[in-house]
Amino acid sequence: MTEQNDQFSSRWGVILAALGMAVGTGNIWRFPRVVAANGGGAFMIAWMVFLFAWSAPLVMAEFALGKHTRRGPAGAIGHLIGAKYNWMGAFVGLCTCFIMFYYSVVTGWCIKYFVASLGSGFVHADSEAYWQAFTTASSQPVAFHLAAMLIGCWIISRGVVKGIELTNRILVPVLFLLLVAAAVRALLLPGAVKGLAFLFTPDWHELLSHKVWLEALSQSAWSVGAAWGLVMTYGVYLRKKDDFVLTSYTTAFGDYSASLLAGIAVMCTVFAVLPEADARAALGASNEGLTFIWLPRLFERIPAGHLFLALFFLALSFAAMSSLIAMIELATRMAGDLGIRRNRAVVLVGVIGFLLGLPSAWKIGVFRNQDWVWGLGLMVSGMLIALAVARFGADRFRKELINTEDEPHPVGRWWTLVIRYVVPVEFIALMIWWFYQSAANYDREAWWNPFRTYSVGTTVAQWGLMILLLILVNRAWAARVGAKTKEGE
Amino acid sequence: MTVGGWIMLVLVLGGVWGGFVYLLARTARRGPG
């Protein structure tokens, strides 16, 4: 299904594309807050465990699925284990498509703030009023959402080598340089060590808290990009001789490295500039609140803050765009697997992506709801991929699809154990915890209400509706993508 | 910062950044592929 000239041209092309996919806004605006709220150094231990107990094994599984089946998520699982399971892969792909709809809006915000930070008046403006005016009283979020979608679709229309690979060859190294510059600048501020202390000092009692472990799992999964279906899509474009175990580890360690750079940059700046109580308030704000309200205030107070604020938003825009193009490619691949020509598929994805992103651009409440529902949906995607691999035979999958003759770094039996046993246990624990917290603490009165932003009801209703629809159209969809009609065929 | 904090800083940054640089170097040794 893949044309020979539409494949990554080198090993570095694959690594940079995978890094661009993984390093996104979650590394920069979510990681510092989550570490600060969950025991600093103790959180780091749990976070490191999930590098090997969720993210890296699932990244390897995705590369293998894409390379072996030469199909995007909505065809790969059906091709691997039979047509009647095709809906599982379709869920993985559509979950990421729904993330793409609002992620394009976020990318637009980043571009808008980068452009605004180039002007001299921005730093002196009231950052909270500026953010409120931008998101509620103007059509600018729609315009920048459109701009992000147009740029992303233009890159994808250029194909794998001239589009994805070339873009990431530029964006990813520059992004890492910007993060290094931001971290070094923050470390040189007087009092920066207070930020390091908050980030790394372990509170060992926190290791007994299940919340820390579950937050670490969700952060690792969200950040590395495991189970999004994006790696599976890039796996389709691997050459036959390309191995991917080393690439999987490099992607995961590179993503973690970017998170640590961003954590140092943000935490050291926050604690160097603000008294501790205000610093905790800043870190307690939402992702948008920390990034678009607090950080402009902080940069205003440091020497050359104007320049570093612009560089910060440039890094954020690059991180967002390199992830957005991976999502657009996934959606384009899914359309291509259904028989739609690539150029038409890109236009279709662009139009649908723009239209379905509009509610999130207009209403911050819709954005938060979609972020909650489909962000959590990634855990379901991880579970579905693990189930598909287990159905095929986890050890058989490892031996036949990962440790092939082209693979110089075969993965050990630990991988089988993680996919077969550890991932399902983690998924069940995470779901029970999240739902219990929603029902017992966050929203006792209306946890069942499907029209509440963060309720269990809205999550179950939207997932359930999607799964129901996918099961109803499963036979037709499976036939279009060439899934196996009989197991073992 | 406490001694425990410094130890954690060295272990985490050394492990993650060191691991990333090691993996990049290992990839580089294999050539552009």
Side-chain angles (χ1 to χ4, degrees), chain A residues 50 238 312 342 477:
Chain A
F50 290 121
L238 291 178
F312 175 81
R342 186 174 175 89
W477 195 329

Side-chain angles (χ1 to χ4, degrees), chain A residues 52-349:
Chain A
F52 298 98
W54 182 280
S55 299
L58 281 170
V59 167
M60 288 176 207
E62 284 200 54
F63 264 130
L65 271 165
K67 186 183 178 192
H68 174 72
T69 66
R70 297 296 178 190
R71 286 166 175 80
I77 288 180
H79 187 75
L80 185 76
I81 56 171
K84 67 179 177 182
Y85 301 104
N86 198 64
W87 66 270
M88 292 162 61
F91 180 92
V92 174
L94 283 182
C95 181
T96 300
C97 287
F98 274 79
I99 292 174
M100 177 189 76
F101 300 146
Y102 69 80
Y103 201 84
S104 171
V105 176
V106 174
T107 308
W109 295 346
C110 299
I111 296 170
K112 154 72 186 177
Y113 266 66
F114 167 63
V115 173
S117 65
L118 294 175
S120 56
F122 174 68
V123 170
H124 304 293
D126 177 344
S127 57
E128 186 156 9
Y130 191 93
W131 170 248
Q132 291 297 336
F134 171 59
T135 52
T136 59
S138 80
S139 56
Q140 286 197 41
V142 175
F144 280 93
H145 160 50
L146 176 63
M149 211 65 202
L150 284 174
I151 296 169
C153 287
W154 175 73
I155 292 169
I156 292 304
S157 72
R158 291 173 55 82
V160 174
V161 176
K162 290 180 183 170
I164 297 169
E165 194 173 319
L166 181 63
T167 304
N168 282 300
R169 276 179 187 274
I170 299 165
L171 293 193
V172 173
V174 175
L175 171 60
F176 270 87
L177 283 176
L178 291 173
L179 288 175
V180 169
V184 170
R185 179 72 191 92
L187 283 169
L188 293 176
L189 293 171
V193 75
K194 284 186 287 184
L196 288 180
F198 206 69
L199 199 56
F200 289 103
T201 302
D203 179 355
W204 298 113
H205 294 291
E206 292 282 355
L207 273 182
L208 299 175
S209 163
H210 53 295
K211 177 174 175 286
V212 169
W213 289 90
L214 294 169
E215 288 280 13
L217 169 56
S218 62
Q219 175 61 30
S220 179
W222 175 265
S223 175
V224 174
W228 289 59
L230 302 172
V231 175
M232 209 184 298
T233 304
Y234 281 175
V236 174
Y237 308 121
L238 291 178
R239 296 164 300 179
K240 187 188 172 299
K241 65 174 184 176
D242 283 332
D243 54 279
F244 52 79
V245 171
L246 191 61
T247 304
S248 301
Y249 284 127
T250 309
T251 305
F253 273 83
D255 177 82
Y256 270 44
S257 297
S259 290
L260 288 169
L261 285 170
I264 289 170
V266 172
M267 297 287 273
C268 292
T269 307
V270 168
F271 278 89
V273 174
L274 295 174
E276 186 161 333
D278 289 349
R280 287 175 186 273
L283 291 166
S286 63
N287 290 330
E288 314 94 80
L290 174 65
T291 308
F292 297 110
I293 297 172
W294 278 97
L295 287 180
R297 285 181 194 164
L298 300 183
F299 279 102
E300 188 182 353
R301 300 189 199 178
I302 65 174
H306 185 204
L307 172 69
F308 280 95
L309 184 63
L311 291 180
F312 175 81
F313 282 119
L314 182 63
L316 202 58
S317 302
F318 279 10
M321 183 54 73
S322 60
S323 298
L324 179 65
I325 60 173
M327 297 179 210
I328 295 174
E329 177 58 40
L330 174 143
T332 304
R333 181 78 238 172
M334 283 172 66
D337 287 344
L338 285 168
I340 301 171
R341 281 217 315 257
R342 186 174 175 89
N343 283 347
R344 285 186 188 173
V346 175
V347 173
L348 189 68
V349 169

Side-chain angles (χ1 to χ4, degrees), chain A residues 11-66:
Chain A
R11 192 173 292 123
W12 286 109
V14 180
I15 289 174
L16 290 170
L19 279 173
M21 172 281 299
V23 180
T25 53
N27 299 67
I28 299 172
W29 74 9
R30 189 172 187 271
F31 177 75
R33 286 194 323 106
V34 175
V35 182
N38 291 284
F43 175 89
M44 296 285 189
I45 291 173
W47 182 62
M48 289 301 297
V49 167
F50 290 121
L51 175 63
F52 298 98
W54 182 280
S55 299
L58 281 170
V59 167
M60 288 176 207
E62 284 200 54
F63 264 130
L65 271 165

